[in-house]
Amino acid sequence: MRLGLLTACLPGESLDDVAAWAGSHGYRALEVAAWPDLPGRDWEASHLDVESFGAADAARVRDLLAEHDLEISAVAYYENNLHEDEQVREATHEHLRRCIDAAHLLGVGLVGTFVGRDVSRTVAENLRLAEEALPPLVAYAAARGVRLVVENCPMEGWHPDGYPANLAYSPELWGWMGDLGLWLNYDPSHLVWLGIDPLAALEAHVDRVLHVQAKDVEVHPAARDRYGVFGQVLDRQPWVSGWWRYRVPGLGEVDWRRLVDALYQAGYDGVVSVEHEDPVWSGTRERVCQGLTVAERTLAPLIVG
């Protein structure tokens, strides 16, 4: 097992700078963000320009990572593959195919994404939509030696009422995902605030886990008693529940000692990738890197390379 980080937390940095920092601060892998570089989307990172990515680009990236004793665990593009606007949905699929192509050139076997949801349809209708839309993407990836790993984030901020907008949030759906050829990028933080035991969920589905994201969550039960599990309603803000927030590993509710041990017991030998979305350790590059250092100091003692 190796410790990595998702580069999306440093959107203003070059891949060269992120690799240099990570390699000198105890990290051994990068989950490389590859969102399209579009005007006005400065909250998402584009550390790989997959739209124009060729063999020479792949060679340069491989040399860069080797220089810092790093590997790429996955190419990351977490977007809504069932978006209600068909043009947006197709553009998302097209960019995902470019991410798959880049992963193939890099010799990386995983691309991370979401299932998503058309918020104008019922869950049942979305399941049927996914069964039509996603298998061709799975087949495209398989033909290039790549598998799609789906993070189990509810993406409640995509729904106008804060309900799950990524049909991978519940362990009930992970078998259905498997039937579509999708694999799991397991993140325990989301399960905690949903009231699901992350260890029990992992042990029941560890055979579907090809990648792990390490994010923690801080829960305030008194605030939950006020707002309920779906979060604040009056003066609601997207992505703000009012009773929980994400933290870097070690500063929340997840028992990382038991979770990493369960991964070892199951024979998992992949990457545990820190996904830094901690509002306390954010705002500046220095604060983000300090948060990543907290995460490394929490997880590195548990991971035997």
Side-chain angles (χ1 to χ4, degrees), residues 43-120:
W43 65 93
E44 291 163 344
S46 302
H47 289 130
L48 286 180
D49 182 7
V50 299
E51 296 295 339
S52 60
F53 200 77
D57 302 296
R60 190 194 74 80
V61 171
R62 285 194 298 268
D63 289 346
L64 169 66
L65 296 180
E67 178 184 350
H68 298 290
D69 193 22
L70 293 165
E71 64 177 283
I72 296 181
S73 64
V75 174
Y77 176 51
Y78 297 96
E79 213 27 285
N80 188 352
N81 283 293
L82 301 181
H83 196 283
E84 63 271 23
D85 185 318
E86 291 189 14
Q87 289 186 324
V88 172
R89 187 192 312 160
E90 180 48 43
T92 299
H93 293 180
E94 184 62 22
H95 190 78
L96 182 60
R97 286 189 282 266
R98 299 293 76 76
C99 288
I100 292 166
D101 293 340
H104 171 66
L105 288 171
L106 287 163
V108 175
L110 303 177
V111 170
T113 191
F114 289 136
V115 171
R117 178 179 178 176
D118 178 344
V119 297
S120 70

Side-chain angles (χ1 to χ4, degrees), residues 3-261:
L3 181 62
L5 64 87
L6 173 58
T7 68
C9 60
L10 291 165
E13 303 292 311
S14 68
L15 183 60
D16 298 60
D17 289 341
V18 175
W21 186 92
S24 62
H25 287 80
Y27 287 95
R28 298 276 64 88
L30 297 180
E31 183 184 358
V32 182
W35 276 265
D37 188 9
L38 299 176
R41 296 188 67 172
D42 57 355
W43 65 93
E44 291 163 344
S46 302
H47 289 130
L48 286 180
D49 182 7
V50 299
E51 296 295 339
S52 60
F53 200 77
D57 302 296
R60 190 194 74 80
V61 171
R62 285 194 298 268
D63 289 346
L64 169 66
L65 296 180
E67 178 184 350
H68 298 290
D69 193 22
L70 293 165
E71 64 177 283
I72 296 181
S73 64
V75 174
Y77 176 51
Y78 297 96
E79 213 27 285
N80 188 352
N81 283 293
L82 301 181
H83 196 283
E84 63 271 23
D85 185 318
E86 291 189 14
Q87 289 186 324
V88 172
R89 187 192 312 160
E90 180 48 43
T92 299
H93 293 180
E94 184 62 22
H95 190 78
L96 182 60
R97 286 189 282 266
R98 299 293 76 76
C99 288
I100 292 166
D101 293 340
H104 171 66
L105 288 171
L106 287 163
V108 175
L110 303 177
V111 170
T113 191
F114 289 136
V115 171
R117 178 179 178 176
D118 178 344
V119 297
S120 70
R121 305 191 193 193
T122 67
V123 170
E125 290 169 340
N126 270 272
L127 294 176
R128 305 293 85 79
L129 174 62
E131 289 161 6
E132 296 175 4
L134 299 184
L137 296 170
V138 170
Y140 187 91
R144 290 153 182 81
V146 175
R147 290 181 285 187
L148 299 179
V149 288
V150 174
E151 183 190 350
N152 55 290
C153 179
M155 295 306 291
E156 71 288 349
W158 283 346
H159 194 288
D161 296 317
Y163 302 141
N166 172 36
L167 297 183
Y169 71 94
S170 165
E172 179 188 7
L173 296 167
W174 296 350
W176 167 80
M177 284 169 42
D179 291 341
L180 299 185
L182 299 167
W183 298 80
L184 186 60
N185 186 3
Y186 171 79
D187 183 332
S189 65
H190 309 297
L191 298 170
V192 172
W193 73 261
L194 287 168
I196 299 168
D197 180 345
L199 191 62
L202 173 63
E203 290 173 342
H205 298 276
V206 71
D207 60 322
R208 301 302 306 172
V209 176
L210 296 184
H211 198 270
V212 173
Q213 285 187 332
K215 187 164 71 263
D216 220 324
V217 63
E218 179 182 5
V219 172
H220 298 279
R224 181 177 58 206
D225 289 344
R226 172 182 172 87
Y227 296 125
V229 69
F230 298 114
Q232 184 175 353
V233 174
L234 302 177
D235 301 318
R236 182 180 189 89
Q237 301 176 52
W239 311 108
V240 178
S241 77
W243 67 270
W244 62 266
R245 61 180 179 175
Y246 294 126
R247 302 302 308 273
V248 293
L251 299 180
E253 310 291 328
V254 177
D255 188 336
W256 294 102
R257 181 183 60 82
R258 293 184 64 205
L259 192 141
V260 172
D261 181 57

